[in-house]
Amino acid sequence: MSLRPRTALTSISSLSTLGLLAGAALPVQAEEPVHYVALGDSFSAGTGTRAKVDDCYRSPHGYPALLADAHGLQLDYQACSSADTEDVHRDQLDALSPATDYVTMTIGGNDLGYAGVITQCALPGWLSNCEGRINDALELLHSQMPQRYDVLFAEIGVRAPAADVVIGTYPHLFSGRNCNLATFFTAAEMRALNGATDQLADVIADRTQAAGFRYVDARPAFQGHAVCDSPEWVNGLSWPIQESYHPNRDGNIGYADIFWPGTSGSTTTRTTTDTGTASTDQTSASRAQQVRAQADAVLAMDLTGSANLRQARSAGVPTGELVRLVAQLRSGDVATVEKALAGLAALNERHAIRAGR
């Protein structure tokens, strides 16, 4: 069993060099199956692949399953959707032992309230506090997350002293275009969310290397494959809603290559992608059903409720136009509903311009 010791990589500062060495760090052949423990959150559980197995998700199309299948690893799949650092420490680390050879993990997004931030920023600008939620997350990132990572990584090192431990970052979600008409991300909000991902990546890299583990960065591989890109590796707004803003099947193949370069060359990882996005997924439902689902998502925001109308009025939003467009979302005509969704998106953009966002 020839795994590269963690300490041998701590002095390497070049990410490109680290990426070249990543494949060599893992055994190609071994007398006994490599004991592989996949820790982490929804990005490691395979959420977004439309193949939910249980409450933790643990998809057969998640990158840990792809790695195990491609390289003959003995997988203990512990990663769980919605997990944060405390959850990993409490619920997942018992799978580790001195016999563990290989560990992968993505973690930290849920500590920062990932789902809540995305949900807040997806609202129309006059109802959301996107900037405030991002700033709250960043304050927590810099004040608390370094210690949370240190505590978690130290425990992993104690429980699996011989393991090659690889910690991954998160990709940028956006490339500047929002093609999902049921969400209201502005260009500035998308840049801010990507910027927060960059700051989180910096902290992950710093604490991972301080622990003597290996660090891999998802952002370069996902460049050109964000929400609304072609092809996209990250779902936009999707149904079921849990699938939203997570890597799809192609994205998990990309993640497998990030953790173990060359994995995508295996025929066992080549699958037909089902992205499940509101803009491109025409296999799980008809176009009319997709448009109806988008309209229902916007109607659930209760944009014309009395409190929300007052907020819109105080923000300078023309409430007459808002009420008219929301009413059209209830139409049985697909074209009318699509036009109303586009009109609401335009209304949000005009508000963002006036507000200087």
Side-chain angles (χ1 to χ4, degrees):
M1 192 75 63
S2 57
L3 291 171
R4 183 181 298 275
R6 296 192 302 267
T7 54
L9 293 173
T10 57
S11 62
I12 298 176
S13 59
S14 168
L15 185 58
S16 61
T17 301
L18 186 56
L20 290 173
L21 290 175
L26 299 168
V28 177
Q29 294 180 337
E31 294 180 1
E32 297 179 359
V34 173
H35 181 222
Y36 167 30
V37 179
L39 304 172
D41 55 20
S42 56
F43 277 67
S44 292
T47 303
T49 62
R50 305 184 73 81
K52 183 176 181 179
V53 174
D54 53 25
D55 288 343
C56 278
Y57 210 106
R58 293 175 186 154
S59 168
H61 301 287
Y63 78 79
L66 301 183
L67 290 176
D69 289 346
H71 303 292
L73 312 181
Q74 180 184 334
L75 173 62
D76 190 336
Y77 210 159
Q78 291 291 316
C80 190
S81 180
S82 81
D84 58 19
T85 51
E86 182 180 353
D87 294 323
V88 172
H89 202 285
R90 183 185 63 244
D91 300 329
Q92 301 180 23
L93 295 191
D94 284 347
L96 301 176
S97 75
T100 301
D101 302 300
Y102 181 44
V103 176
T104 62
M105 181 168 63
T106 58
I107 198 66
N110 291 317
D111 291 74
L112 303 179
Y114 173 77
V117 172
I118 292 294
T119 300
Q120 185 71 202
C121 293
L123 292 171
W126 61 88
L127 294 180
S128 76
N129 183 25
C130 179
E131 182 179 359
R133 287 296 296 267
I134 292 174
N135 287 339
D136 288 345
L138 291 177
E139 194 282 329
L140 189 153
L141 170 65
H142 295 293
S143 65
Q144 298 186 34
M145 289 307 296
Q147 182 180 13
R148 293 188 191 184
Y149 281 126
D150 288 348
V151 170
L152 179 60
F153 293 168
E155 186 65 18
I156 291 172
V158 169
R159 295 192 184 214
D164 182 34
V165 182
V166 190
I167 310 298
T169 65
Y170 301 93
H172 286 160
L173 297 179
F174 303 102
S175 60
R177 187 167 70 95
N178 178 27
C179 62
N180 296 280
L181 292 178
T183 60
F184 297 89
F185 299 103
T186 66
E189 289 169 343
M190 289 185 280
R191 287 194 299 271
L193 287 163
N194 285 346
T197 298
D198 291 336
Q199 292 191 49
L200 175 56
D202 289 342
V203 173
I204 292 172
D206 180 66
R207 301 329 302 158
T208 297
Q209 292 164 352
F213 297 161
R214 291 199 292 122
Y215 157 81
V216 292
D217 191 352
R219 292 170 297 171
F222 275 75
Q223 186 173 357
H225 302 296
V227 173
C228 299
D229 282 342
S230 182
E232 63 180 4
W233 288 4
V234 180
N235 296 335
L237 182 65
S238 306
W239 289 271
I241 200 72
Q242 184 185 17
E243 309 288 345
S244 303
Y245 303 101
H246 283 81
N248 57 33
R249 295 186 189 183
D250 278 345
N252 275 272
I253 292 172
Y255 253 123
D257 254 347
I258 292 163
F259 278 97
W260 192 323
T263 299
S264 63
S266 168
T267 57
T268 62
T269 64
R270 282 292 152 203
T271 61
T272 300
T273 296
D274 178 3
T275 63
T277 63
S279 60
T280 63
D281 178 16
Q282 300 298 320
T283 61
S284 64
S286 69
R287 171 173 167 267
Q289 288 173 318
Q290 290 290 323
V291 172
R292 183 71 263 154
Q294 292 181 73
D296 288 344
V298 175
L299 288 170
M301 297 176 184
D302 192 26
L303 301 183
T304 55
S306 57
N308 287 340
L309 274 179
R310 285 196 300 271
Q311 200 163 335
R313 189 177 297 110
S314 66
V317 175
T319 54
E321 182 180 0
L322 175 61
V323 169
R324 176 179 60 82
L325 290 170
V326 170
Q328 290 174 352
L329 295 180
R330 297 183 173 88
S331 170
D333 178 65
V334 174
T336 298
V337 174
E338 284 187 311
K339 187 175 180 180
L341 287 168
L344 288 167
L347 196 64
N348 185 61
E349 286 295 330
R350 295 203 303 270
H351 169 265
I353 292 171
R354 286 196 304 272
R357 297 176 181 172

